[in-house]
């Protein structure tokens, strides 16, 4: 393969090719920066492919999507980008399809519902790179002291929160509807109420009856009763909610796998259960996936495809998932993780993945809708706020964005 690639001559001259990848940072310190992961991977790949160099630049999640957009707009698209969304670029015809790049084996190994979420009009452009699901975390110590059991229904959740409040817990339930990641908390609650951002045929239905009922319950039964903490939900960000949980100030909150490490570091004993629903455990979990894509601008489809086959090998997917407490996006790595004792703490999240529903990332309008949710959803549960009016506003924004495609 090396000889074939080295002789492609797509760059002229020697035939050497430099592939540029821009990626997001999943680390929480210099010690576990994603730059270290990618540098190691690039070095290993280059040692077996003398005609190809891999140049990786890692940016924080605050900057990475913007950096890629700036490069694309300037006509300097990288060969690959590993970021939060792909549909805009696919819609503009800028991306290779997964068929153009991955071997049949690598493509078949991608988890089916994640691969489907990477499609626009039935063609896959986004390759899932990392996945996560959510569970309800609860503080075992606070629950034991109060004689509580983890809730299975909304009614039980509100009752538990009431007991915790009476015992002086600052955040009986932490409800982060602040601008950092409100779209996630919102979706988790919408799903648990039998709704979601879109209906069964993929049309936005943010102001559906189920969704209005969900946010009306949140406002009336949790927020207005003072069960969501000293900080208003619309001003509470996810990172602050996680930090408060790790400080022992939160009874319950919706969390993803990284919260396990944050809580354990501070010595907080926690339990995890599926998100409660109206009448029992929620039938739908929320899943989140981040995406790998490849731009056509520079050519190099053969080299990019060969490198991505290496990136998506079971060994490398497992190494990445374990390093950053994320769920693997391939069937082979998932099967390995679900039986390996070292991954036992991730198994409850892994079990949720086949049941999970993702954001409507195949819509180019989703970025605008998510931004509007982050900005406005807190108003739905604010004093004097109207869940129906706020959700109707968001539905209007979604319809306008969708029609502008």
């Amino acid at each position: 393969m090396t000889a074939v690639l080295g002789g492609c001559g797509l760059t002229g001259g020697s035939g050497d090719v430099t592939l540029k990848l821009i990626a997001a940072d999943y680390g929480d310190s210099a010690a576990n920066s994603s730059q270290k992961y990618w540098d190691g991977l690039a070095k290993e790949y280059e040692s077996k492919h003398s005609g190809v160099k891999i140049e990786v630049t890692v940016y924080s999640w605050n900057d990475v999507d913007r950096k890629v957009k700036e490069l694309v707009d300037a006509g300097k698209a990288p060969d690959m980008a590993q970021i939060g969304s792909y549909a805009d670029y696919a819609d503009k015809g800028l991306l290779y399809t997964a068929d153009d790049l991955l071997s049949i084996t690598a493509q078949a190994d991608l988890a089916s519902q994640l691969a489907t979420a990477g499609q626009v009009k039935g063609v896959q452009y986004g390759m899932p790179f990392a996945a996560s699901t959510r569970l309800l975390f609860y503080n075992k110590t606070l629950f034991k002291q109060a004689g509580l059991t983890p809730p299975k229904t909304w009614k039980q959740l509100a009752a538990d929160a009431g007991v915790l409040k009476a015992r002086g817990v600052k955040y009986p339930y932490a409800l982060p509807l602040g601008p950092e990641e409100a779209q996630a908390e919102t979706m988790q609650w919408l799903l648990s109420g039998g709704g979601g951002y879109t209906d069964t045929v993929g049309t936005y239905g943010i102001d559906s009856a189920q969704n209005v009922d969900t946010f009306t319950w949140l406002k009336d039964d949790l927020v207005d009763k003072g069960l969501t903490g000293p900080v208003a939900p619309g001003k509470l960000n996810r990172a602050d909610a996680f930090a408060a949980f790790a400080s022992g100030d939160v009874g319950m909150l919706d969390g993803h796998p990284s919260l396990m490490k944050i809580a354990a570091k501070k010595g907080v004993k926690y339990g995890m259960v599926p998100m409660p629903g109206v009448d029992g455990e929620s039938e739908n979990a929320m899943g989140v996936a981040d995406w790998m894509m490849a731009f056509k601008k520079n050519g190099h489809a053969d080299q990019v495809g060969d490198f991505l086959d290496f990136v998506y090998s079971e060994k490398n997917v497992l190494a990445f998932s374990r390093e950053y407490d994320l769920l693997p996006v391939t069937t082979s790595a998932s099967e390995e993780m679900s039986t390996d004792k070292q991954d036992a703490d991730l198994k409850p999240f892994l079990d949720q993945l086949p049941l999970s529903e993702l954001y409507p990332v195949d819509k180019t309008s989703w970025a605008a809708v998510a931004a509007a949710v982050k900005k406005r959803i807190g108003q739905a549960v604010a004093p004097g706020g109207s869940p129906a009016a706020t959700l109707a506003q968001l539905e209007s924004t979604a319809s306008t964005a969708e029609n502008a495609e």
Side-chain angles (χ1 to χ4, degrees), residues 171 173-178 185-186 189 215 218-219 222-223 227-229 231-237 241 250 252-254 275 381:
Y171 294 91
Y173 180 87
L175 183 68
L177 296 178
E185 185 75 15
T186 298
W189 278 101
F215 265 81
L218 276 175
K219 181 171 169 29
L222 282 189
V223 181
L227 302 179
T228 54
V231 177
K235 292 190 166 71
L236 181 65
N237 280 326
V250 173
M252 299 170 274
L253 85 171
D254 168 33
M275 187 70 180
V381 297

Side-chain angles (χ1 to χ4, degrees), residues 139-175:
N139 183 311
K140 277 188 169 179
T141 305
L142 295 177
F143 266 64
K144 189 177 179 183
Q145 289 168 351
L148 298 173
T149 54
K152 291 184 178 177
T153 66
W154 288 1
K155 192 174 179 183
Q156 289 168 359
L157 186 148
D160 287 354
V163 173
L164 293 169
K165 185 188 181 186
R167 296 178 65 87
V169 175
K170 280 188 185 176
Y171 294 91
Y173 180 87
L175 183 68

Side-chain angles (χ1 to χ4, degrees), residues 58 142 278 320:
V58 168
L142 295 177
V278 182
F320 182 85

Side-chain angles (χ1 to χ4, degrees), residues 330-341:
T330 61
T331 304
S332 58
S334 291
E335 286 170 354
E336 173 66 26
M337 257 197 173
S338 64
T339 55
D340 197 316
K341 284 180 183 171

Side-chain angles (χ1 to χ4, degrees), residues 101-304:
L101 302 166
L102 297 179
S103 67
I104 292 168
T105 315
Q107 220 176 329
D109 197 26
L110 293 174
S112 61
Q113 94 273 28
L114 297 178
T116 302
Q119 294 178 357
V120 172
K121 294 171 184 161
V123 178
Q124 187 182 353
Y125 297 93
M127 290 158 279
F129 183 74
S132 179
T133 55
R134 307 287 170 116
L135 292 169
L136 183 76
F137 281 68
Y138 64 97
N139 183 311
K140 277 188 169 179
T141 305
L142 295 177
F143 266 64
K144 189 177 179 183
Q145 289 168 351
L148 298 173
T149 54
K152 291 184 178 177
T153 66
W154 288 1
K155 192 174 179 183
Q156 289 168 359
L157 186 148
D160 287 354
V163 173
L164 293 169
K165 185 188 181 186
R167 296 178 65 87
V169 175
K170 280 188 185 176
Y171 294 91
Y173 180 87
L175 183 68
L177 296 178
E180 182 191 0
E181 206 193 28
Q183 82 282 10
E185 185 75 15
T186 298
M187 182 165 169
Q188 183 70 68
W189 278 101
L190 297 183
L191 289 173
S192 72
Y197 286 119
T198 57
D199 62 21
T200 50
V201 293
T203 304
Y204 283 115
I206 298 173
D207 60 350
S208 70
Q210 297 103 309
N211 292 348
V212 171
D213 286 349
T214 295
F215 265 81
T216 300
W217 183 87
L218 276 175
K219 181 171 169 29
D220 294 349
D221 290 59
L222 282 189
V223 181
D224 288 354
K225 291 183 178 173
L227 302 179
T228 54
V231 177
K235 292 190 166 71
L236 181 65
N237 280 326
R238 190 205 51 168
D240 296 329
F242 280 17
F245 186 81
S247 298
D249 292 333
V250 173
M252 299 170 274
L253 85 171
D254 168 33
H256 53 60
S258 70
L259 181 55
M260 295 189 296
K261 201 176 274 183
I262 295 166
K265 265 185 191 171
K266 292 286 189 80
V268 169
K269 291 180 179 169
Y270 59 86
M272 303 178 299
V273 292
M275 187 70 180
V278 182
D279 301 314
E281 285 178 9
S282 176
E283 290 179 17
N284 292 320
M286 191 189 85
V288 176
D290 300 323
W291 303 95
M292 176 71 77
M293 66 210 71
F295 290 91
K296 294 193 285 190
K297 171 87 176 160
N298 305 319
H300 306 159
D302 289 344
Q303 293 92 332
V304 169

Side-chain angles (χ1 to χ4, degrees), residues 50-70:
S50 58
V52 182
K53 275 191 68 63
I54 310 292
E55 194 179 287
V56 186
T57 311
V58 168
Y59 293 100
S60 80
W61 273 110
N62 295 331
D63 301 320
V64 69
D65 291 279
R66 177 174 51 81
K67 289 282 185 185
V68 172
K69 185 177 185 305
E70 286 171 357

